[in-house]
Amino acid sequence: MIAALGTLALVAGLAAAIAWTVLWLVVALTDEGLRTARVVTGIALAAAVGACGALEWALVGHDFTIDYVAQNGGRAVPLYFTVTSLWSALDGSLLLWLLILAVVGVLLARGSGGDCPRHRAWAMVTTGVVAVFFFSLVYFAANPFEPAEVVPIDGPGPNPLLREHPAMGLHPPLLYAGYVALVVPFGYALAALLLGSDDDRWLVPARRWTLGAWSVLTVGITLGAWWSYAVLGWGGYWAWDPVENAALLPWLTATAALHVTMSRRRSGVAGWALGLFTTTFILVLVGTFLTRSGAVESVHSFTESPLGPMLLGFVVLTVAVVVGLLSMRGFHNRFADDPPRWWSRDAGFLYHAILLLGVAAVVLTGTIYPLISELLSGVRTSVGADYYNRATVPLLLAVLLLMGVAQLTARDGTGPRQLARRCVLPAAAGLVVIIAVGFVYRPNPMVLTAFGVAAFVLAGVATVWFSAPHRRSRPGLIAHAGAAIVAIGIAASSMAGSATLTQLRIGQDVTVAGVSARLTAIERHTDPDRMTVTARLTLERDGRSLGTVSPVLHYYPRRDTTVGAPAIRSRPAGDVYVTLTRADEGNSEASVRLAVNPLISLIWFGGAVIAAGGLVSLVSRRRAAHSPIGAQAADAPLVAGAPP
Amino acid sequence: MSRFRRRPRGPVIVLGVVVATAVALLVTAGLQDTIRYYRTPSEVAQSSASVGQSVRLGGRVVPGTVRHDGPVTEFTLGDGDSTLVVLAPGALPDTFREGQDAVVEGILQPDGTFRADTVAVKHSNEYRAATPASGRTPP
């Protein structure tokens, strides 16, 4: 019954998405039928809500006649994690994709389309085509409402790793929201290519959408890193896993797009913006293909379901459309009459974009290298985290340095000498930090550089923040401060990185970086669907107690799987991170990994600050748009204001 | 092509070339010894080409073969056709279980055993949200 309703919702959604595309095409060509087109977009959203609702209903009601529920549901699973099971496996997560895409469509369809209704209509056509594709993908290749072959009495529950942490309810939806909303700037870019006029007003809504999507994606990626740190218990937060890279790649190019579109003369950078918006969404599709098709596991596994070929086909189609349109219309970066001077802020935006594209190229190469090498030579390989650390860190440091200099430049006007003068104070701050950290901790050169450059950026933020009469540059400064904070967190936590894995008997202790942990008890506990081993340890530093921690191991008999959950004691100076890796049968001995990660929480804090910068910019620009100053002539800056 | 009549973007082009070169260098240098070849026990059995190489080996932990021997844990990985003895440092975590799929990374020794520096447990092939190789253990 529910299965039939869910499938019906998918069919209705597919039909509505087709109608959405056609009707918005009519709007784009004739300027008529706007109201009907909007209604149909709303129907597509209703269908997506219906499909998600049906699956949630089945999950919460433990309807094991549906295969997805039989695979991922379980009677003993807490309600919260039953609800999040919607996106804890492939088929359901694609439903979430659809739901967010439909929400994005409805939001984009609101209103009259502002200054560029035809661009908006074409963007809706593009979004509609993507919606048609994803509705067909779910319906034909990954229908979560397929009946179960054997109806079990109880299900195994979701993947145990995905029910250990409350972030599971936030991280995937936010990540998807940021990811999927990037379709809108892509739609505007295609519209600009199709319409081909010199009208660059489309860059304003495209940038606003990018800003919103990027902010949400930033939160999603940061939560993902935190989740990885707090659940997986391997002590790190970023493994350069294909799933992580898939989220990072569009984030990098979207960051570049956000900077380029801040240029004083937006007509001068329309070509750059086109290239970056389209690249960003192509990377979204490539990432979806890599992570949802099994292609990363092995080139040969991805044809096992029609999902892989369908996604690959859509990627190829999108690239073909973009390349075709670009070669028809050509790039037009019309800087010809009034080129930006090389030390100006406008030029800085372009340098920044180039560097970020460089980072993206490094990450993309590492991510698809195993695929290419298997295709060409049949040899299966994997690229280790060392590759990424080695190859991206120098580039990221260059990005940070450029960020620090660029925020001190004026829009135009000032000469290199004035810029050099502005750099003096922040550079001095950076040098002081390098000398101080270098003397006290003697870290490796990369880490030391990171500290210095981060201090340079933060000092620059402070000088501009307080000296500039233009408050509107502050969102960007907030984001820069966030990036510097993240850099400090990464550098500091990689520097000490002290950890040890030891076997402890009850009463024994182990010490790492001044923190000692004493094993006081091992307890076992049985729940209806899992068994838990808990180790109790008391922490101490210099004779002062830091309280007790209880890392656990959960065994899930229905999945015959054991997963661990670390215990983390966060303090401002750093985290004490304790993982239980094994406990003997007699409850007298346990293997414990004790790690001290200095300043690691700065990474999550800095990520939140970056996202806050984006959101502040979104809100303050909205306010500016309603004021007479914001509604300036066509060639007004996309982001008002900057230091003098 | 009137669009390209002037090239005022000199510094942008220069930086583009510099970054492209840097990326090429970083990628090739970075890939030098970070690539791990993925092999199955059968592939290892068929050729000795991977001896001494850094290899990622995937297979199923043969039940009844896990032995703790002081600082070393020994177990056998199989893929249905062939098996291979793996030596891993330290006691393995409880997330590591007999009969389950595991991926080990390390170097194949001339004597035919495999010296692992990391042991990762494969929970399932399912979608894992932003999850690095699950059950990773510290080396």
Side-chain angles (χ1 to χ4, degrees):
Chain A
M1 179 58 190
I2 299 171
L5 279 178
T7 309
L8 189 69
L10 286 179
V11 175
L14 181 55
I18 293 171
W20 154 356
T21 312
V22 174
L23 288 172
W24 279 100
L25 190 61
V26 172
V27 175
L29 295 174
T30 67
D31 282 332
E32 274 170 44
L34 184 60
R35 189 165 296 172
T36 333
R38 264 192 219 134
V39 169
V40 166
T41 315
I43 294 174
L45 173 60
V49 170
C52 287
L55 194 55
E56 281 297 2
W57 187 265
L59 279 166
V60 172
H62 304 302
D63 182 351
F64 296 116
T65 58
I66 295 174
D67 192 45
Y68 187 84
V69 182
Q71 304 278 349
N72 299 287
R75 292 184 194 279
V77 180
L79 181 65
Y80 181 76
F81 291 109
T82 297
V83 172
T84 64
S85 296
L86 180 71
W87 50 83
S88 66
L90 176 72
D91 303 3
S93 70
L94 284 173
L95 272 192
L96 184 66
W97 231 100
L98 266 182
L99 177 66
I100 291 167
L101 185 61
V103 169
V104 165
V106 167
L107 287 178
L108 182 60
R110 280 182 326 158
S112 60
D115 287 338
C116 40
R118 295 193 67 201
H119 285 88
R120 196 273 300 262
W122 277 109
M124 279 303 296
V125 174
T126 304
T127 318
V129 170
V130 176
V132 170
F133 171 73
F134 275 93
F135 267 112
S136 343
L137 190 72
V138 173
Y139 181 68
F140 292 110
N143 186 348
F145 298 105
E146 294 286 337
E149 278 171 22
V150 182
V151 179
I153 300 164
D154 194 1
N159 182 334
L161 286 170
L162 303 183
R163 51 174 289 191
E164 292 287 345
H165 199 281
M168 190 55 202
L170 274 179
H171 158 58
L174 284 178
L175 198 69
Y176 279 28
Y179 218 56
V180 175
L182 288 169
V183 71
V184 176
F186 171 71
Y188 272 109
L190 284 195
L193 281 171
L194 280 166
L195 294 171
S197 69
D198 283 350
D199 180 4
D200 292 318
R201 277 175 296 183
W202 65 273
L203 281 168
V204 176
R207 186 187 144 80
R208 280 186 63 78
W209 273 92
T210 311
L211 201 51
W214 175 88
S215 305
V216 174
L217 191 58
T218 307
V219 178
I221 291 175
T222 309
L223 271 178
W226 181 55
W227 179 85
S228 176
Y229 176 73
V231 170
L232 297 178
W234 58 291
Y237 49 89
W238 192 265
W240 297 104
D241 188 71
V243 181
E244 293 166 332
N245 294 349
L248 183 66
L249 284 168
W251 185 88
L252 289 169
T253 52
T255 311
L258 284 177
H259 281 85
V260 161
T261 50
M262 264 191 284
S263 180
R264 200 165 55 92
R265 281 150 311 210
R266 68 166 97 111
S267 59
V269 293
W272 279 87
L274 279 179
L276 287 169
F277 285 142
T278 47
T279 308
T280 301
F281 189 64
I282 287 171
L283 287 174
V284 166
L285 290 178
V286 168
T288 308
F289 162 69
L290 288 176
T291 55
R292 295 292 173 273
S293 66
V296 173
E297 295 274 319
S298 163
V299 172
H300 307 296
S301 74
F302 95 101
T303 44
E304 282 166 13
S305 112
L307 202 70
M310 276 177 86
L311 275 167
L312 185 61
F314 195 64
V315 172
V316 171
L317 179 78
T318 311
V319 173
V321 167
V322 169
V323 171
L325 282 172
L326 276 178
S327 57
M328 268 166 61
R329 298 289 180 191
F331 267 101
H332 31 175
N333 286 310
R334 292 180 301 271
F335 268 136
D337 323 324
D338 185 15
R341 270 161 286 186
W342 67 266
W343 61 82
S344 72
R345 172 168 294 206
D346 285 0
F349 292 141
L350 301 184
Y351 305 153
H352 187 260
I354 292 171
L355 277 175
L356 284 174
L357 281 173
V359 179
V362 167
V363 175
L364 184 65
T365 308
T367 313
I368 62 173
Y369 181 89
L371 226 99
I372 306 284
S373 111
E374 190 181 355
L375 269 181
L376 294 183
S377 59
V379 181
R380 291 179 67 188
T381 56
S382 72
V383 176
D386 284 347
Y387 159 77
Y388 296 98
N389 294 339
R390 227 187 277 167
T392 57
V393 168
L395 287 173
L396 289 172
L397 286 176
V399 170
L400 211 57
L401 185 64
L402 178 65
M403 176 196 292
V405 177
Q407 67 189 3
L408 300 172
T409 59
R411 285 210 156 256
D412 250 351
T414 41
R417 206 170 285 171
Q418 206 171 341
L419 175 58
R421 216 175 305 137
R422 283 199 185 126
C423 284
V424 170
L425 203 66
L431 278 179
V432 168
V433 167
I434 287 184
I435 292 168
V437 172
F439 263 110
V440 179
Y441 297 102
R442 308 194 174 279
N444 74 48
M446 283 292 177
V447 170
L448 197 56
T449 316
F451 275 114
V453 179
F456 172 64
V457 172
L458 284 175
V461 167
T463 56
V464 179
W465 185 279
F466 292 113
S467 73
H470 294 266
R471 293 227 173 122
R472 289 189 193 154
S473 63
R474 288 186 174 176
L477 293 175
I478 296 176
H480 285 184
I485 293 171
V486 171
I488 294 172
I490 293 173
S493 60
S494 76
M495 182 169 72
S498 36
T500 181
L501 176 69
T502 38
Q503 194 97 346
L504 291 181
R505 301 190 141 274
I506 303 263
Q508 281 183 328
D509 58 23
V510 56
T511 305
V512 164
V515 175
S516 68
R518 181 186 303 274
L519 183 67
T520 54
I522 300 171
E523 291 157 19
R524 281 169 201 268
H525 174 73
T526 305
D527 286 316
D529 65 331
R530 66 180 185 189
M531 291 168 229
T532 304
V533 187
T534 310
R536 309 257 180 225
L537 298 108
T538 53
L539 298 180
E540 228 175 64
R541 185 189 191 111
D542 308 327
R544 227 160 27 87
S545 169
L546 297 174
T548 61
V549 288
S550 311
V552 295
L553 278 172
H554 293 301
Y555 173 63
Y556 292 87
R558 295 195 63 102
R559 281 188 181 263
D560 192 23
T561 297
T562 305
V563 297
I568 302 167
R569 179 63 30 110
S570 282
R571 294 166 308 131
D575 288 6
V576 181
Y577 188 99
V578 189
T579 324
L580 173 65
T581 63
R582 60 180 293 133
D584 77 326
E585 298 286 325
N587 292 348
S588 62
E589 214 175 77
S591 294
V592 172
R593 180 178 182 275
L594 175 66
V596 175
N597 303 321
L599 299 183
I600 198 163
S601 42
L602 283 187
I603 299 174
W604 343 127
F605 174 66
V609 172
I610 297 176
L615 292 173
V616 168
S617 169
L618 203 61
V619 173
S620 59
R621 245 201 62 80
R622 157 149 263 162
R623 235 185 274 143
H626 292 300
S627 72
I629 306 163
Q632 270 172 4
D635 213 31
L638 281 165
V639 162
Chain B
M1 294 298 282
S2 62
R3 271 170 204 143
F4 299 99
R5 69 194 156 180
R6 278 174 69 191
R7 296 266 177 167
R9 303 186 300 274
V12 170
I13 292 168
V14 170
L15 186 76
V17 172
V18 169
V19 170
T21 318
V23 166
L25 284 175
L26 287 169
V27 165
T28 41
L31 285 174
Q32 278 308 310
D33 43 354
T34 52
I35 294 178
R36 295 217 156 190
Y37 293 90
Y38 195 99
R39 299 259 195 279
T40 60
S42 307
E43 286 165 358
V44 171
Q46 277 160 19
S47 94
S48 57
S50 25
V51 170
Q53 259 184 358
S54 180
V55 172
R56 181 181 260 222
L57 183 76
R60 183 155 294 182
V61 184
V62 179
T65 60
V66 181
R67 278 196 309 134
H68 296 284
D69 185 13
V72 177
T73 304
E74 184 186 318
F75 60 91
T76 305
L77 269 188
D79 59 359
D81 297 324
S82 302
T83 57
L84 194 69
V85 174
V86 178
L87 300 172
L92 289 172
D94 281 352
T95 48
F96 176 88
R97 301 173 59 78
E98 296 184 344
Q100 275 194 344
D101 286 342
V103 176
V104 295
E105 295 190 351
I107 296 182
L108 189 68
Q109 305 295 313
D111 64 357
T113 61
F114 189 88
R115 205 163 286 274
D117 48 46
T118 28
V119 177
V121 187
K122 216 165 155 189
H123 283 300
S124 66
N125 286 322
E126 274 175 15
Y127 150 59
R128 294 169 287 121
T131 316
S134 26
R136 188 166 305 198
T137 56

